[in-house]
Amino acid sequence: MAYRPGGALATKIHMKHIAVATTEGYASRPGGAQAELLAEVNKHESERNLQLVLEEFRNYQEGVLPAGPGARSLTEFFAGIDTQLDAASATAPKTQRNDRDVLNLLTKRANVLHLGPANYCWFTDPSRALCLKLAGTPTADRPLIGMCDSARCPQATHHPGHRPVWAEHADRTKIFIGQLGTTRKTERTRLQADYDRALRVVAEIDAASTTDEESA
Ligand code: SF4
C-alpha cells in the first residue's frame, strides 16, 4: 500500500501511525522524512566529531596526551598536523593558524571517530578492530561498540574525560570483591583482573595528561 501513489498517507491512516515518518520507516521508503532526519543526524555527528578531535589536538599541543593502546598512533597523527602547520606558517608568515585551517587537516580523522562510553574508537582499519575479531565479522564497516574492549584494542584511546568512568568502575568492582564469599574463587579472579585493568587505565590517563610543568 505504501508504494502506491499517495500510499504513504493511506498507510499512515490505515496503520494509525501518529507521524508519517513512522510509516516511512516501516515501509523503508527512501527519500522521505526518515532520510532527511538521518542526513541531519549524520551532519550533527560529523560536526561533533570534528570539535572533539580539535579539542584533543589542542590538548596535545598543551602536553595533555592520549592514553590507551591507540595513543601512539593518534599522537603521531597530531605531530604530523603540527609539522604541516609549522611548514605552512614558515612559507606564508601571514597565514593565521585559525581553527578553520586546523579543522581542514583534522576532518579525515574525525570521520573515523566513534564514541565509546569510556573511550574513543578510531576506526581506521576494520582488520585491527578487536570487537570485530571477537564477533567473527572482520570486514564489517562499523565497530561494535557494545563489544568494545578498549584496554586491548589498538584503535582505542582514553582521555581525561573518560577518567571518571574508569575510576567509578574501579570503585564499584572493589566493593563487589569485598562482598564475595571466600568460596567464589573464579568470580574473585575475574573481578580482580577487571579491577586491576581499570586502575591501570586510570594510571595511564593520569600519566599521559600530566604536563612537564605539573610534574616539575
Ligand atoms: S574494540 Fe572498541 S576501540 Fe576497538 S574497534 Fe571495536 S569499538 Fe573500536
Side-chain angles (χ1 to χ4, degrees), residues 119 121 123 129-131 143-145 148-149 153 155-156:
N119 66 292
C121 162
F123 193 67
L130 184 57
C131 56
L144 290 164
I145 292 285
C148 184
D149 185 350
C153 178
Q155 305 200 111

Coordinates of all heavy atoms in Angstrom, one line a residue, residues 119 121 123 129-131 143-145 148-149 153 155-156, ligand 1:
N119 N 35.8 5.5 26.1 CA 37.0 5.6 25.2 C 36.6 6.2 23.9 O 35.4 6.3 23.6 CB 37.6 4.2 24.9 CG 36.6 3.3 24.1 OD1 35.6 2.9 24.6 ND2 37.0 3.0 22.9
C121 N 37.1 5.5 19.8 CA 37.4 4.4 18.9 C 37.8 5.1 17.5 O 36.9 5.8 17.0 CB 36.2 3.5 18.7 SG 36.3 2.5 17.3
F123 N 38.3 4.2 14.1 CA 38.0 3.0 13.3 C 38.7 3.2 11.9 O 38.0 3.4 10.9 CB 36.5 2.8 13.2 CG 36.1 1.5 12.6 CD1 36.3 0.3 13.3 CD2 35.5 1.4 11.4 CE1 35.9 -0.9 12.8 CE2 35.1 0.2 10.9 CZ 35.3 -0.9 11.6
A129 N 40.3 -4.2 14.3 CA 39.3 -3.9 15.3 C 39.0 -5.2 16.2 O 38.6 -6.2 15.7 CB 38.0 -3.5 14.7
L130 N 39.3 -5.1 17.4 CA 39.2 -6.3 18.3 C 37.8 -6.7 18.4 O 37.5 -7.9 18.4 CB 39.8 -5.9 19.7 CG 39.8 -7.0 20.8 CD1 40.6 -8.2 20.3 CD2 40.3 -6.5 22.1
C131 N 36.8 -5.8 18.5 CA 35.4 -6.2 18.6 C 35.0 -7.0 17.4 O 34.2 -8.0 17.6 CB 34.5 -4.9 18.7 SG 34.7 -3.7 17.4
P143 N 32.4 -0.3 13.8 CA 32.8 -1.0 15.0 C 31.6 -1.5 15.8 O 30.5 -0.9 15.7 CB 33.6 0.0 15.8 CG 33.0 1.3 15.4 CD 32.6 1.2 14.0
L144 N 31.8 -2.5 16.6 CA 30.7 -3.0 17.5 C 31.0 -2.4 18.9 O 31.6 -3.1 19.7 CB 30.7 -4.5 17.5 CG 30.2 -5.2 16.2 CD1 30.6 -6.6 16.2 CD2 28.7 -5.0 16.1
I145 N 30.5 -1.2 19.1 CA 30.8 -0.5 20.4 C 30.4 -1.3 21.6 O 31.1 -1.3 22.6 CB 30.2 0.9 20.4 CG1 30.8 1.8 19.3 CG2 30.2 1.6 21.8 CD1 32.2 2.3 19.7
C148 N 33.1 -3.5 22.8 CA 34.4 -2.9 22.8 C 35.2 -3.3 24.0 O 34.7 -3.4 25.1 CB 34.2 -1.4 22.9 SG 35.8 -0.5 22.8
D149 N 36.5 -3.6 23.8 CA 37.4 -3.9 24.8 C 38.6 -2.9 24.6 O 39.6 -3.3 24.1 CB 37.9 -5.4 24.8 CG 38.8 -5.7 25.9 OD1 39.2 -4.8 26.7 OD2 39.1 -6.9 26.1
C153 N 42.3 -3.0 22.5 CA 42.2 -2.8 21.1 C 43.1 -1.7 20.6 O 43.2 -0.6 21.2 CB 40.7 -2.4 20.7 SG 40.6 -2.1 18.9
Q155 N 42.9 0.3 18.3 CA 42.3 1.5 17.8 C 41.6 2.4 18.9 O 41.0 3.4 18.5 CB 41.2 1.1 16.7 CG 41.8 0.2 15.6 CD 41.0 0.2 14.4 OE1 41.4 0.7 13.4 NE2 39.9 -0.4 14.4
A156 N 41.9 2.0 20.1 CA 41.2 2.7 21.2 C 42.1 3.7 21.9 O 43.3 3.4 22.1 CB 40.7 1.7 22.2
Ligands
SF4_1 S1 37.2 -2.8 20.2 FE1 36.4 -0.8 20.7 S2 38.0 0.6 20.0 FE2 38.4 -1.4 19.0 S3 37.4 -1.1 17.0 FE3 35.9 -2.1 18.4 S4 34.7 -0.4 19.3 FE4 36.6 0.5 18.3

